Amino acid sequence: MKIHEKYIKRCIELAKNGLGSTYPNPLVGSVIVYKNIIIGEGWHHKAGEDHAEVKAIKSVKDKSLLKKATLYVNLEPCNHHGKTPPCSDLILKSAIPNVVVGCVDPHDKVAGKGIEKLKRNGCKVVSSVLEKECISLNRRFFTFHTKKRPYIVLKWAESSDGFIDKIRTKGTPAKINWITNSFSRQLVHKWRAEEQAIMIGTNTVIYDNPTLNTRQWFGKNPIRIVLDKSLRIAQDFNVLDGTIKTIVFTEIAKSSSIENLIYKQIDFSQNIAKQICNHLYEYEVQSLIIEGGAQTLQTFIDSNLWDEARIFTGDISLHKGLIAPKIKGTGFDSQRILSDILRIIKNENC
């Protein structure tokens, strides 16, 4: 293994610790190496706190070694004042002579300026090391800044015979018909903690009355996004309780006196998925997991506005019911979770 790749891989490992907690900032890890020994490392925990490079530099016990060391970081050091000072300034102040960068930051406030400043001030910089892996790590951040929309994950569970739910009728009690086992359901709560927002449609709310929180996993609850064209969802449903920030997209103009509850009017005769993406970009939502129902999922599939799909297949048969969404993509992973099978499909053409 090439020496630079070895330490950038460590940066990626460190950066993953921040998944779900750094928004709107990216996932960043950094290590400092002297004579092929790591003398300092760190990762970005939360927006407003020290960046990975700062934590790594602070962790070095013998600061005199910095003048002979190499700093590794999976994403280009920032060069602008935000909630914290520029990392490039601290690197130069610490007289670190060598910096190895995984990939360039797509944010227009950085976008090569950090690397340029380091080089201009005598620092030797090597870039694009494991670039593909580093971009994949921050695919949410890159999608948001390059495509001006959230990174979109579709998720559903289907029976072994291809249905996602039993037939529901008006007056059917609100209750979830579980297709997957408890371990798969806990994994979904882990995923919720990793994404910035979660979305469902009207029927899913009415038939299941979900809370859409992370009660089975440690982490921040995602922003709830609800699609309710005609405002059919009654105020006593869980998603409208105001405990979590919730945005309801509807065709009817409506204001809310409940804290954390926002109604956003859109035109349902136009491209719904694109309008939602545009508004979520304005709200600075970098990632969205869509958990249903079938119509909502298919709307995003038909608009080709999705990046990956995570599909569970349970070992039960429903024989009849609501047919699972139809999707095409590149399958790149399949795993078994006890009796369930999880497939992850990527959209290479979005």
Side-chain angles (χ1 to χ4, degrees):
M1 180 187 297
K2 295 180 181 179
I3 194 67
H4 288 341
E5 292 182 358
K6 172 184 176 180
Y7 293 117
I8 289 294
K9 279 192 174 183
R10 177 57 182 163
C11 292
I12 292 173
E13 290 173 359
L14 290 167
K16 287 178 180 178
N17 289 318
L19 185 56
S21 64
T22 65
Y23 294 114
N25 292 351
L27 301 169
V28 185
S30 179
V31 299
I32 298 174
V33 179
Y34 172 69
K35 290 187 175 180
N36 205 27
I37 296 174
I38 293 177
I39 60 172
E41 61 181 27
W43 52 278
H44 184 46
H45 292 206
K46 184 180 179 182
E49 296 183 3
D50 286 343
H51 288 190
E53 302 95 316
V54 177
K55 285 184 175 290
I57 291 171
K58 285 183 176 180
S59 74
V60 176
K61 293 181 179 179
D62 185 354
K63 296 295 193 289
S64 68
L65 296 179
L66 291 173
K67 297 180 180 180
K68 297 173 280 186
T70 300
L71 182 144
Y72 291 83
V73 63
N74 59 285
L75 188 69
E76 175 185 9
C78 63
N79 187 46
H80 66 285
H81 284 272
K83 292 182 178 179
T84 59
C87 291
S88 55
D89 285 356
L90 182 60
I91 293 170
L92 293 172
K93 183 180 178 180
S94 302
I96 299 173
N98 305 296
V99 176
V100 179
V101 176
C103 63
V104 174
D105 191 324
H107 197 301
D108 56 7
K109 291 183 178 180
V110 188
K113 300 181 183 72
I115 292 175
E116 180 185 342
K117 182 174 184 177
L118 292 174
K119 288 181 176 180
R120 192 170 62 245
N121 286 275
C123 188
K124 182 180 178 182
V125 180
V126 176
S127 58
S128 301
V129 177
L130 294 182
E131 183 179 35
K132 183 177 179 181
E133 291 86 344
C134 291
I135 291 174
S136 177
L137 169 71
N138 274 305
R139 53 192 179 276
R140 299 161 179 83
F141 185 76
F142 272 79
T143 297
F144 181 79
H145 287 287
T146 60
K147 298 183 179 180
K148 311 301 181 186
R149 65 165 176 82
Y151 184 87
I152 298 173
V153 178
L154 309 179
K155 171 264 163 185
W156 72 84
E158 59 185 54
S159 63
S160 57
D161 50 356
F163 299 101
I164 67 170
D165 199 359
K166 296 177 181 179
I167 297 295
R168 309 280 194 118
T169 58
K170 188 176 182 180
T172 301
K175 180 183 178 182
I176 299 175
N177 292 318
W178 296 113
I179 291 174
T180 56
N181 61 54
S182 61
F183 294 96
S184 295
R185 297 199 291 270
Q186 186 180 44
L187 176 59
V188 171
H189 282 244
K190 178 179 182 292
W191 290 344
R192 290 178 180 180
E194 295 171 350
E195 309 306 336
Q196 200 171 358
I198 182 171
M199 180 177 179
I200 56 173
T202 308
N203 287 337
T204 302
V205 174
I206 293 174
Y207 293 139
D208 293 349
N209 193 21
T211 55
L212 303 182
N213 59 19
T214 58
R215 61 193 177 278
Q216 293 186 37
W217 196 263
F218 175 81
K220 186 177 180 180
N221 292 318
I223 299 168
R224 298 185 295 206
I225 311 297
V226 178
L227 197 59
D228 187 8
K229 178 181 178 181
S230 304
L231 294 180
R232 292 195 291 127
I233 300 171
Q235 194 62 55
D236 59 350
F237 278 89
N238 293 328
V239 294
L240 303 183
D241 62 12
T243 59
I244 302 170
K245 183 176 180 179
T246 303
I247 303 171
V248 179
F249 285 100
T250 176
E251 68 175 2
I252 301 170
K254 180 180 174 67
S255 60
S256 172
S257 59
I258 300 175
E259 186 180 5
N260 281 335
L261 181 58
I262 301 167
Y263 288 91
K264 193 72 178 180
Q265 189 176 16
I266 61 173
D267 185 352
F268 278 73
S269 68
Q270 301 299 315
N271 189 313
I272 297 171
K274 184 172 176 55
Q275 290 179 79
I276 290 172
C277 284
N278 289 342
H279 285 299
L280 293 185
Y281 179 77
E282 292 175 1
Y283 282 111
E284 297 186 331
V285 173
Q286 290 187 11
S287 70
L288 173 68
I289 183 167
I290 303 176
E291 291 199 6
Q295 185 176 346
T296 301
L297 289 161
Q298 199 65 54
T299 295
F300 280 79
I301 293 170
D302 292 344
S303 296
N304 199 34
L305 282 171
W306 63 280
D307 297 284
E308 62 178 277
R310 302 171 185 176
I311 306 166
F312 291 98
T313 301
D315 66 346
I316 68 169
S317 296
L318 295 180
H319 305 295
K320 62 180 180 178
L322 190 61
I323 298 174
K326 304 299 180 184
I327 193 168
K328 292 181 180 180
T330 304
F332 71 95
D333 188 28
S334 179
Q335 57 183 287
R336 182 173 288 276
I337 304 174
L338 294 183
S339 57
D340 298 336
I341 295 174
L342 169 63
R343 290 178 295 133
I344 299 180
I345 300 173
K346 273 191 172 180
N347 184 3
E348 305 290 354
N349 301 308
C350 60

